[in-house]
Amino acid sequence: MIVFQHLLNGLRLGSIYALIALGYSMVYGIIKLLNFAHGDIIMVGGYIALLLIGAQVSPVIAILLSILGCMILACVIEKVAYKPLRSAPRLSLLITAIGVSYLLENLAQLIWGADPRSFPSSKIIANVNFSLGGVTVSLTTIVTIVVAIIAMVVLTILVQKTKMGKAMRAVSEDTGAAQLMGINVNRTINYTFAIGAALAGIGAILYCCSVPQVKPTTGYLLGIKAFVAAVLGGIGSIPGAMLGGFAIGMAEVIVNAVGLSSWTDAVVYLVLIVVLLVKPTGFMGRSMNEKV
């Protein structure tokens, strides 16, 4: 029974990592950018939801506006910070992404202060526990896993079956050829950032319900771990991001279960190092040949 309890906890945590890792993988798959500002978009989404719920806005409306706010912020960042550097060396884009991340964190500190704020998670998901065969399952755990699975299924259908999804795959494969075939590359990239940010917004709500607080650095460690999950699964691979997220979530729960909670972060990076030594492309990544 204890094993099943830990399995559920790992799936809940892994679901959040997987949702956020999908945003990293989608953006990298399109423009080969490691968007380190992705985690801070999650933090902004948490603050938006907190402020709206504090203003007595309906929780459903607050969630939708939080997700929309994340999408708008991601598109603005792409237009202002990343688009002008699209033809620049990748290192320039990477440094810009890190700069945007620090900018968002410091702006959040100026606006909301550095102290953590309590998140009213009970107004979004009732604090209810169920007992199933000796295993205690919270409603938050059930909702997190179910919402994550639905979001991943919808994303897969979106990418595989829709016209814009096909355009995203074409741009990812060969940007020049896609442009020659009449695909609007700028719109496709904006669409990718918006979808990745929507997933981040969903992840922000679920995370704040699991850990009922929000602070300017909320998205920092969360974003780093999601990035590790994306690399672990194979950066650029959507199924790989899901698998990597669940793997990281389970690894953290196992480490905590054996009484090594202070080693949780170290073990996450150790798992990444071991996997990359054995399979540098990650679980489901593919080798790429670059012309020189």
Side-chain angles (χ1 to χ4, degrees):
M1 294 302 173
I2 295 177
V3 173
F4 188 65
Q5 183 79 63
H6 291 320
L7 177 63
L8 282 175
N9 291 337
L11 286 175
R12 180 183 68 180
L13 190 58
S15 296
I16 296 171
Y17 289 152
L19 281 173
I20 301 166
L22 283 169
Y24 275 111
S25 282
M26 289 178 66
V27 171
Y28 183 84
I30 295 291
I31 61 173
K32 302 297 181 288
L33 165 68
L34 296 175
N35 183 20
F36 284 113
H38 192 64
D40 298 287
I41 291 173
I42 297 165
M43 172 267 296
V44 173
Y47 271 114
I48 292 173
L50 173 66
L51 294 173
L52 290 173
I53 292 173
Q56 305 303 315
V57 175
S58 165
V60 175
I61 301 298
I63 291 170
L64 293 176
L65 289 177
S66 175
I67 294 171
L68 180 61
C70 289
M71 294 171 70
I72 293 172
L73 176 60
C75 289
V76 169
I77 291 172
E78 193 280 324
K79 283 282 189 185
V80 174
Y82 300 152
K83 185 178 178 181
L85 297 174
R86 217 173 272 169
S87 59
R90 291 184 191 175
L91 183 60
S92 299
L93 274 169
L94 179 62
I95 293 172
T96 301
I98 295 172
V100 171
S101 173
Y102 281 118
L103 175 64
L104 291 176
E105 284 183 24
N106 282 277
L107 283 176
Q109 287 188 14
L110 287 173
I111 296 171
W112 296 297
D115 295 330
R117 293 196 182 189
S118 178
F119 190 88
S121 57
S122 59
K123 292 187 178 182
I124 295 178
I125 303 175
N127 189 18
V128 178
N129 294 322
F130 303 96
S131 183
L132 301 173
V135 177
T136 302
V137 184
S138 67
L139 182 59
T140 301
T141 298
I142 296 172
V143 171
T144 298
I145 295 172
V146 170
V147 169
I149 291 173
I150 291 173
M152 293 172 192
V153 170
V154 170
L155 176 65
T156 302
I157 294 172
L158 199 68
V159 172
Q160 296 294 331
K161 302 297 183 182
T162 66
K163 184 177 179 181
M164 184 54 74
K166 292 176 182 177
M168 288 167 60
R169 286 186 284 133
V171 172
S172 175
E173 191 69 30
D174 191 324
T175 303
Q179 200 163 15
L180 289 173
M181 295 300 292
I183 293 174
N184 189 323
V185 173
N186 288 330
R187 186 173 63 184
T188 303
I189 291 173
N190 277 334
Y191 187 79
T192 304
F193 269 86
I195 295 229
L199 293 171
I202 296 170
I205 300 297
L206 296 176
Y207 181 77
C208 289
C209 287
S210 296
V211 182
Q213 68 172 22
V214 60
K215 55 185 177 180
T217 56
T218 291
Y220 175 73
L221 190 57
L222 187 60
I224 291 294
K225 289 183 178 180
F227 167 68
V228 171
V231 174
L232 193 64
I235 192 75
S237 168
I238 291 177
M242 298 179 195
L243 182 60
F246 288 126
I248 292 297
M250 292 304 302
E252 285 198 11
V253 169
I254 291 171
V255 172
N256 286 323
V258 298
L260 297 173
S261 57
S262 60
W263 287 81
T264 301
D265 297 340
V267 169
V268 168
Y269 298 119
L270 179 62
V271 169
L272 174 67
I273 292 169
V274 171
V275 170
L276 292 183
L277 285 174
V278 176
K279 195 175 189 300
T281 56
F283 292 142
M284 302 183 71
R286 60 178 182 175
S287 299
M288 297 178 67
N289 296 320
E290 292 195 17
K291 295 179 181 180
V292 294

